Amino acid sequence: MTEKKEKYIPQVHSKLRKSFITVPKEVYQASGIKIFEKRIKSLLFTTDLAIIRNTNADSIMAVYPYTPQSSIANAILSVSNVPCFIGIGGGVTQGLRSKYVAIDAELSGAYGVVVNAPMPNDCLLYTSPSPRDLSTS
């Protein structure tokens, strides 16, 4: 059996970005998951803007234990150069607030939103029924 020859990959380094957070090399052996035609093999769980900006992770999951705020989501989305999944509540924060933060996050470019398990599904239903919803009643 022949051994697989490793490809030569040119690398660029800089003194200004030498403290870069890298994912383990084993991540590249994973199949990953495709979301909106983008394959994601690594997901960094953080809200630290400096870390978000200085990592080679394929995506960011930004969930925090405070009341969700659009300003925090927008800051994360503006700093990140990879897809982000933004926390919108679920424990204490539910209902319209979570729904509006979710809508704002999506409109600002989030790939998706993350809710805690305690949030009931009906918290994320539309606030007004669409014609499609009315036809099924």
Side-chain angles (χ1 to χ4, degrees):
M1 191 166 167
T2 61
E3 285 190 38
K4 189 175 180 181
K5 186 177 178 183
E6 286 192 36
K7 294 180 188 176
Y8 170 73
I9 302 172
Q11 296 186 21
V12 176
H13 297 281
S14 166
K15 289 181 182 179
L16 298 176
R17 293 190 70 175
K18 68 179 181 180
S19 298
F20 205 70
I21 309 286
T22 57
V23 298
K25 64 181 180 188
E26 290 78 12
V27 165
Y28 299 111
Q29 297 170 3
S31 61
I33 182 172
K34 263 188 154 177
I35 302 176
F36 304 130
E37 298 303 315
K38 168 112 174 113
R39 184 166 64 171
I40 296 173
K41 291 187 175 189
S42 59
L43 192 132
L44 183 64
F45 187 84
T46 187
T47 55
D48 187 307
L49 297 179
I51 290 175
I52 289 171
R53 190 63 182 174
N54 291 286
T55 185
N56 69 340
D58 293 332
S59 62
I60 304 296
M61 181 178 288
V63 179
Y64 48 93
Y66 308 107
T67 300
Q69 298 177 29
S70 293
S71 59
I72 294 173
N74 291 332
I76 291 165
L77 291 166
S78 70
V79 167
S80 179
N81 55 2
V82 295
C84 292
F85 301 90
I86 303 294
I88 61 163
V92 175
T93 306
Q94 298 182 7
L96 284 177
R97 182 179 186 102
S98 291
K99 188 181 303 187
Y100 291 139
V101 172
I103 291 168
D104 186 58
E106 182 188 10
L107 292 173
S108 297
Y111 259 49
V113 295
V114 181
V115 296
N116 296 336
M119 182 183 285
N121 289 336
D122 60 353
C123 283
L124 295 177
L125 295 176
Y126 295 106
T127 53
S128 59
S130 70
R132 181 186 68 229
D133 296 331
L134 294 174
S135 66
T136 60
S137 29

